[in-house]
Amino acid sequence: MHVTDARYELYGLRSGNPYAGRPLDPLTSEDDRLLELEGFIRLATIEATVKGAADANKPAFFLITGMGNSGRTSLANHIMYRYQHAMAARLPCFSLVTHCAERGEMTHDAYRTLRSTLLSLRAKMRANQIDVPLPLAEMFTDLSKRPRSQAMDDYELQEIADYAASIFAAHDMGFGVRYEGVATKELIIQASRVFENASTVVVFTVDNYRHATAVQLTRADRQEFARRGHITDLSPLSAAQIAALADHRWTGRRPSPFDSEGVCKAFHEHPCTIGLALRHLHRLLDTRLRQYDGDEPWPTDGLRMDEDWLLLNMRRDETWYGPGPGGFHG
C-alpha cells in the first residue's frame, strides 16, 4: 500500500484527502454541505430568496460571478438543493430534475442554448415516465424541426416552458436549470423572459474577467438583473476564511492538524480562490503525512502543522506565489 494511503487510513480519512477539490453537489450527496466560511457566502440571504420564490410558485433567478475555482458551480448546486428543500416543505414527495448546460455547450447563440434546454426538459419528462400531452408534444416537435432562420419568438418559447412546468407540477416535480460559464448576456436576458412565469430555479454562472468567451456585464446589466433575481459575487478567500476552510473540511479524528493561527499567517499576504486554497491544503497535508513516521494517530504531536512548519513549507515552493489577484499558482 502507498504510504500516503496508509496515513489516510491511520487518521480515519477513509475517503482520502478531505481537501480534494471538486464541485459540491448536495442533490447527489447530503454530505456535500456548503459552508459560509466566516462570511464568504451569505447563505441565509440566498435561502430566503429561494424560499420566497418557492412559496409564491414563482421563478428564482440567480447570477453568480467569480474567477476560476471560486466555487461558482458548488454554489449553483447548493441553490438547486435549497430550492428542492423549500418545495418539499410544502410537497413532501416533491423531486427536482435539473438541466445543466456546461461550459462546452455555451456559445454566443442564446436561442440555440434555450432550444436545447427545452428539448432537454422533454427528454427528462420521458425519462421520468411523464406523459407529454399532445399539444405540448407538437410544440416540442415544432421547436426541434424549425430551421434557425425561422426561430421561435421568446414568448413562444415561454409558452413551452410554462406548459412543461405545469405538467411537472401535476406530478409533484419541478425543474432547475444551470448555465455554466455564460458567454453572452443575451442568454441571461432571454432565459429570464422565457422562464419568467414558470415555477423553477435558473442559475447563471459568469466569469468576472475579460475574455472572448466570457460575458461582459455592465453596471446597468447588473442593476437590470437585480430587479428580478439575486446576484452573488465570489471573491478570493481571506486568510481567516482559509483557516476556517482547513478546520471545517477536516473529516478525520479531531482536532484538525492545521494550526489556525499558522494558516492565517501563512496565507495573510496571499488570498486565493477556494479551489486554489483547497489545492494548497491538499498538498500540505500530503507532505505532512509523508513526513510523519509515528505509530500513533493524532492527537499526538506528530501530525500537527504548526505556524513555523506551515511558513517554512510555503516558502520552499516559490511557484505557489502568483502575482495575480487569484493568489497562488498551482
Side-chain angles (χ1 to χ4, degrees), residues 81-94:
Y81 170 74
R82 295 310 305 177
Y83 181 82
Q84 175 175 270
H85 183 80
M87 290 296 293
R90 294 189 296 111
L91 302 168
C93 294
F94 179 85

Side-chain angles (χ1 to χ4, degrees), residues 282-302:
H282 185 288
R283 181 156 40 186
L284 286 166
L285 177 61
D286 270 3
T287 298
R288 193 62 179 136
L289 285 168
R290 292 189 182 99
Q291 292 175 346
Y292 177 61
D293 58 2
D295 296 322
E296 296 295 328
W298 176 257
T300 62
D301 290 336

Side-chain angles (χ1 to χ4, degrees), residues 22-325:
R22 61 176 178 80
L24 301 179
D25 187 3
L27 283 174
T28 301
S29 172
E30 287 280 350
D31 292 333
D32 278 3
R33 296 182 297 273
L34 206 61
L35 305 170
E36 289 204 4
L37 297 180
E38 305 294 326
F40 172 55
I41 301 174
R42 305 294 182 181
L43 292 180
T45 301
I46 290 172
E47 290 171 9
T49 301
V50 168
K51 185 178 185 302
D55 289 347
N57 286 319
K58 293 183 177 180
F61 294 109
F62 287 85
L63 174 64
I64 305 171
T65 75
M67 63 182 63
N69 295 307
S70 61
R72 292 164 301 187
T73 302
S74 293
L75 178 55
N77 291 339
H78 177 81
I79 290 169
M80 299 283 188
Y81 170 74
R82 295 310 305 177
Y83 181 82
Q84 175 175 270
H85 183 80
M87 290 296 293
R90 294 189 296 111
L91 302 168
C93 294
F94 179 85
S95 61
L96 184 74
V97 298
T98 59
H99 170 76
C100 298
E102 306 295 349
R103 289 179 174 274
E105 303 172 54
M106 289 293 101
T107 70
H108 286 80
D109 188 340
Y111 175 80
R112 177 182 176 184
T113 301
L114 285 166
R115 175 179 175 274
S116 177
T117 300
L118 294 174
L119 294 177
S120 170
L121 293 179
R122 178 180 64 176
K124 293 181 184 300
M125 293 174 74
R126 292 172 173 170
N128 285 278
Q129 299 182 330
I130 297 175
D131 291 331
V132 182
L134 181 59
L136 180 56
E138 291 176 343
M139 291 179 183
F140 278 132
T141 300
D142 187 19
L143 176 63
S144 66
K145 291 185 176 181
R146 278 200 192 191
R148 184 65 177 85
S149 59
Q150 298 176 17
M152 285 186 174
D153 179 85
D154 288 353
Y155 293 104
E156 291 180 292
L157 298 177
Q158 182 187 95
E159 186 177 2
I160 296 175
D162 293 352
Y163 202 160
S166 69
I167 300 302
F168 273 113
H171 291 77
D172 286 347
M173 298 180 69
F175 62 86
V177 182
R178 187 187 81 212
Y179 292 115
E180 189 77 44
V182 174
T184 173
K185 71 180 68 177
E186 282 71 23
L187 176 61
I188 298 174
I189 296 169
Q190 290 183 248
S192 298
R193 186 178 300 131
V194 168
F195 295 107
E196 68 180 351
N197 299 320
S199 179
T200 186
V201 56
V202 183
V203 186
F204 308 92
T205 76
V206 175
D207 298 327
N208 70 350
Y209 50 83
R210 293 196 172 276
H211 190 275
T213 60
V215 62
Q216 304 300 317
L217 298 177
T218 65
R219 179 179 297 181
D221 294 329
R222 290 169 60 89
Q223 290 174 342
E224 178 61 28
F225 185 89
R227 293 188 179 96
R228 65 173 68 92
H230 182 85
I231 301 175
T232 297
D233 300 306
L234 297 180
S235 303
L237 296 180
S238 67
Q241 290 167 342
I242 295 173
L245 178 67
D247 182 65
H248 287 301
R249 285 291 290 265
W250 176 253
T251 57
R253 297 181 180 89
R254 286 285 174 178
S256 160
F258 283 98
D259 176 72
S260 293
E261 291 186 8
V263 172
C264 283
K265 290 188 177 181
F267 285 86
H268 178 67
E269 296 182 0
H270 306 281
C272 56
T273 64
I274 190 169
L276 287 174
L278 285 170
R279 185 183 304 175
H280 304 315
L281 294 172
H282 185 288
R283 181 156 40 186
L284 286 166
L285 177 61
D286 270 3
T287 298
R288 193 62 179 136
L289 285 168
R290 292 189 182 99
Q291 292 175 346
Y292 177 61
D293 58 2
D295 296 322
E296 296 295 328
W298 176 257
T300 62
D301 290 336
L303 186 62
R304 186 69 170 170
M305 288 175 274
D306 59 22
E307 179 182 323
D308 290 340
W309 187 93
L310 287 167
L311 290 172
L312 175 64
N313 280 273
M314 295 283 277
R315 293 182 185 126
R316 279 179 175 172
D317 192 349
E318 294 297 330
T319 62
W320 285 21
Y321 298 95

